[in-house]
């Protein structure tokens, strides 16, 4: 795990937590200036900031148990549920919403795979999954931070979602020939 050896656990998690905190402050600032009155974006950035703050190494390093990966998976499930409930209540989301859901889902998958590898299989030798996990989770966290700040579809995920949904909603796919 090159990234954690180079930066250390605390600095990477602190950087991610700081990034979500700054994304929340930026959205509060933009909201208070009346530039963009998007309460969904404000709420999403608040939920992400709280989730990553509560699940940070800084707060879990005193923990007696060592199953941090399972804890992170639970935090991601709870965060996805809270964001989904907000979608169900408001029926409207920000552009960054799909980035948060996809990013949290991918991170959740990696946390569960790593937990299964380390604690169920008792694997202690680093292999390709560990390297992919270390790089991917951090890149996805950065992508979610950027999505909360710019609130644009910079990777085309919303376009892909809309095209997929329109394909399944079209009448041509329901005809039997």
């Amino acid at each position: 795990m090159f990234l954690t050896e180079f930066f250390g656990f605390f600095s990477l998690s602190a950087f991610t937590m700081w990034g979500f905190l700054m994304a929340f402050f930026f959205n509060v600032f933009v909201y208070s200036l009346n530039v963009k009155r998007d309460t969904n974006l404000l709420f999403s950035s608040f939920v992400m900031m709280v989730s990553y703050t509560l699940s940070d190494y800084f707060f879990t390093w005193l923990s007696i148990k060592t199953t941090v990966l399972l804890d992170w998976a639970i935090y991601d499930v709870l965060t996805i549920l809270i964001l989904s409930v907000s979608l169900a209540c408001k029926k409207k989301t920000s552009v960054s919403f799909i980035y948060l859901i996809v990013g949290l889902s991918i991170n959740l998958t990696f946390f569960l795979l790593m937990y299964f590898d380390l604690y169920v299989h008792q694997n202690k030798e680093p292999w390709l999954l560990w390297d992919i996990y270390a790089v991917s989770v951090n890149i996805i966290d950065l992508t979610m931070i950027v999505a909360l700040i710019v609130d644009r579809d910079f990777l085309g995920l919303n376009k892909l979602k809309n095209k997929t949904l329109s394909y399944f909603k079209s009448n041509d796919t329901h005809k039997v020939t």
Side-chain angles (χ1 to χ4, degrees):
M1 293 206 218
F2 171 74
L3 289 175
T4 54
E5 290 172 5
F6 186 72
F7 292 109
F9 283 117
F10 290 109
S11 61
L12 271 178
S13 65
F15 177 74
T16 304
M17 186 177 76
W18 177 83
F20 282 111
L21 179 70
M22 290 300 113
F24 172 67
F25 285 154
F26 175 78
N27 286 317
V28 167
F29 181 70
V30 168
Y31 184 84
S32 67
L33 285 179
N34 218 6
V35 173
K36 190 171 191 178
R37 292 295 241 185
D38 190 355
T39 57
N40 295 319
L41 181 62
L42 189 62
F43 181 73
S44 295
S45 61
F46 175 74
V47 168
M48 293 301 291
M49 185 238 348
V50 168
S51 174
Y52 273 74
T53 300
L54 291 176
S55 66
D56 188 43
Y57 272 119
F58 181 72
F59 296 109
T60 59
W61 68 282
L62 293 174
S63 178
I64 296 171
K65 55 187 176 161
T66 58
T67 58
V68 174
L69 293 165
L70 192 58
D71 294 339
W72 287 339
I74 291 169
Y75 278 112
D76 281 356
V77 167
L78 290 174
T79 306
I80 290 170
L81 286 174
I82 291 170
L83 290 172
S84 299
V85 166
S86 74
L87 169 66
C89 291
K90 296 209 176 201
K91 304 285 187 210
K92 181 186 164 206
T93 63
S94 61
V95 178
S96 62
F97 182 80
I98 190 77
Y99 285 87
L100 299 178
I101 296 298
V102 168
L104 288 169
S105 299
I106 293 171
N107 281 354
L108 170 66
T109 304
F110 275 118
F111 294 147
L112 291 175
L113 287 172
M114 286 297 292
Y115 176 79
F116 186 74
D117 188 46
L118 289 171
Y119 296 104
V120 176
H121 278 290
Q122 299 290 319
N123 187 11
K124 302 297 178 204
E125 291 295 318
W127 63 292
L128 182 63
L129 174 67
W130 293 20
D131 294 328
I132 293 172
Y133 160 79
V135 172
S136 298
V137 167
N138 291 306
I139 289 174
I140 290 168
D141 287 345
L142 265 172
T143 304
M144 289 189 295
I145 292 167
V146 169
L148 284 171
I149 292 172
V150 299
D151 197 34
R152 301 271 188 262
D153 191 15
F154 58 92
L155 294 179
L157 291 181
N158 283 310
K159 287 181 185 176
L160 179 66
K161 177 194 76 159
N162 292 336
K163 283 186 180 183
T164 304
L165 289 177
S166 69
Y167 173 76
F168 285 114
K169 287 182 181 178
S170 70
N171 291 332
D172 294 338
T173 60
H174 299 293
K175 291 181 181 177
V176 178
T177 57

